[in-house]
Structures are given as C-alpha cells and as structure tokens.
Amino acid sequence: VNCSILLTHLPLLERPAAAAAAGFSGVEFWWPFPSATPEAAEVDAFVGAVEAAGVQLVGLNFAAGDMPAGDRGLVSWPGRSEELRANLDVVTAIGERTGCRAFNALYGNRVDGVDPAAQDELGAENLARAARAVARIGGTVLLEPVSGAPAYPLKTSADVVAVLDRVAAEHGEANLGLLLDVYHLAVNGADVPAEIAAYRERIAHVQIADAPGRGAPGSGELPLQAWIGDLRAGGYGGPVALEYTSDAPDPFAWLPLEQRSRVPAR
C-alpha cells in the first residue's frame, strides 16, 4: 500500500497501522517530510510508526520538492541539486533502519531558461550519487515515467532506460532500475504489454492504478490483472504497489484478503 496516496483520511503516522489492519504487510511512501533534511525526532517518529505497525517499508521516495504545487523531483533541477544531495544520506539511513531497499528518484521537470542537455548531465550525475549512497545498504534507485506533468521529460520506459544506460556508461553505477507504473504509462499512451516485453529485465518495481481516474483496479478500463499476470509469468517476483486514490470506506474491497501482499520479514 502506498501510504502517501491511500488512507489519506488518517494522519500520516497512523497509516502503516491501518494498512496492517487491512491485511497488508508492506507499505511504501513518497518523501514523508516537509524538508529534505528533517530533524532526527521526525525521522524517529516515522521509523517508529512503521516498526510499531509491524509492516515492511518496501519503497521510499527521495525528496521531490512540493508535489502538490507541481514539483516532480530534484534530480535534474540545478537550483536544488545541493538539497537533493543532502537528502541522500537521510534516505539511506532510513533504509538501513527499516530494511527498505528500493528508493524512487523523481527526475524533475524541465526548468525554464536552462539547457535540457545540462539538466540531463546533472540528472545522470545525481542519479549516480544516489546509487552510490544506497549501495552502502544494498539498495536500488528507481526511476519512473510520469504522466500529468508536461514539463517532466520521462514519459515512457524507453525514456527511463536511456537515462539508466547513461548513468551506467558515464558513471559505472548499475544498482538502478525501472519503476514500471502502468497507470502513468497508459495515460501517456504507451502500449503497456509491449513495454513489459521490451524492458522486462529492467523492471525493479511495479505500481498500479486504473485509468481513467487513477482509481482502484476495476474502476477504469485497464486490464491490470492481465498485466500483472504477464509480469509474474515473465519472472517478476517483486511487489506490486497500490498507488491509487480512493475515498471509499474500504479502499481495498476489490482485493480478496488472501491476495493482499505478504512481504517476507527481514
């Protein structure tokens, strides 16, 4: 359960326990703090809430700016590069404490007045820095296509993989992978089965929501179960994260209890 987009009627620190009560043992979060470098007490409270709920933190975003205001990451944003770099050790420390090993790095929007090539050079450098940071704990940096943000340059899996290949070629870091968010891909007009087939070996994490509407599976038109079946049949054994919006009294009613994810204990 992505606890940054689901269970939002509850205070953030109560959501891991609510996910556990709903039968899930794995959660993920976007960056859960207002600052890229939160106070130690804030970090302790977050880690404590996850631990007290008895769930595994499966995924965590790096600081990504003001998402409600339209920011979509700091990785390629020259004016906030130092902020991102200061965030890397904080993220790695949370991963070390919680056992989280998957870290989503939102690439960032194009910035007016800045050469896109310069942004991409900085993006590759900062992704390499992030990869080196989380490598200390065996972590993987995730990169994803995004929809609904015209200034965000990564729209397809091919866009993401090109960046990952650049990081590997120029900086030698290999602990990066594609975050396959099928909702974003579908909204961007991608042929999702073709992307799964083409980039199966690069997929390190999967997120789902239905479209149109970014609601729960079954609320829209996407064949999500077929796509998950394709991924599983092709060897993907990782988590499938629920990253949809819902104001229903039970946002998980569509999913039988026995099918709710079970994350191995650390």
Side-chain angles (χ1 to χ4, degrees):
V1 176
N2 186 301
C3 290
S4 292
I5 194 171
L6 280 162
L7 304 171
T8 54
H9 63 289
L10 296 171
L12 185 136
L13 296 185
E14 294 180 17
R15 296 176 201 170
F24 296 91
S25 59
V27 298
E28 65 179 20
F29 282 84
W30 300 339
W31 185 242
F33 308 104
S35 165
T37 51
E39 298 293 330
E42 295 177 90
V43 174
D44 289 344
F46 174 72
V47 172
V50 172
E51 291 178 341
V55 293
Q56 175 64 55
L57 183 63
V58 175
L60 179 67
N61 283 23
F62 294 96
D66 187 346
M67 297 274 286
D71 294 346
R72 289 296 182 271
L74 310 180
V75 168
S76 64
W77 190 343
R80 301 184 71 176
S81 188
E82 291 306 315
E83 184 181 350
L84 173 75
R85 293 175 183 182
N87 179 242
L88 300 182
D89 284 341
V90 183
V91 170
T92 303
I94 293 172
E96 185 171 31
R97 292 175 65 179
T98 61
C100 183
R101 296 295 183 264
F103 305 96
N104 185 21
L106 286 171
Y107 193 70
N109 294 328
R110 291 305 193 201
V111 179
D112 290 342
V114 178
D115 181 2
Q119 282 198 255
D120 290 337
E121 182 177 2
L122 177 65
E125 179 183 345
N126 279 336
L127 286 169
R129 286 174 176 260
R132 287 194 293 271
V134 303
R136 302 196 302 261
I137 60 169
T140 298
V141 173
L142 306 172
L143 191 65
E144 67 174 322
V146 167
S147 65
Y152 189 91
L154 309 183
K155 309 292 190 188
T156 68
S157 299
D159 294 336
V160 169
V161 169
V163 174
L164 301 183
D165 287 346
R166 176 174 183 169
V167 175
E170 295 183 0
H171 301 278
E173 309 302 331
N175 58 318
L176 298 98
L178 168 64
L179 194 168
L180 189 86
D181 186 315
V182 297
Y183 166 80
H184 287 311
L185 289 172
V187 169
N188 285 340
D191 182 337
V192 174
E195 298 221 359
I196 292 172
Y199 299 107
R200 195 180 298 278
E201 300 304 316
R202 310 300 292 271
I203 297 169
H205 193 70
V206 173
Q207 293 175 333
I208 64 168
D210 215 333
R214 203 174 188 178
S219 65
E221 303 171 355
L222 302 183
L224 296 172
Q225 294 292 356
W227 292 346
I228 293 169
D230 185 3
L231 286 160
R232 294 299 192 207
Y236 177 73
V240 174
L242 308 180
E243 196 187 43
Y244 57 83
T245 62
S246 176
D247 57 6
D250 180 2
F252 311 114
W254 63 275
L255 185 64
L257 185 63
E258 64 273 13
Q259 294 181 28
R260 298 180 187 184
S261 62
R262 296 294 171 187
V263 178
R266 285 192 284 141

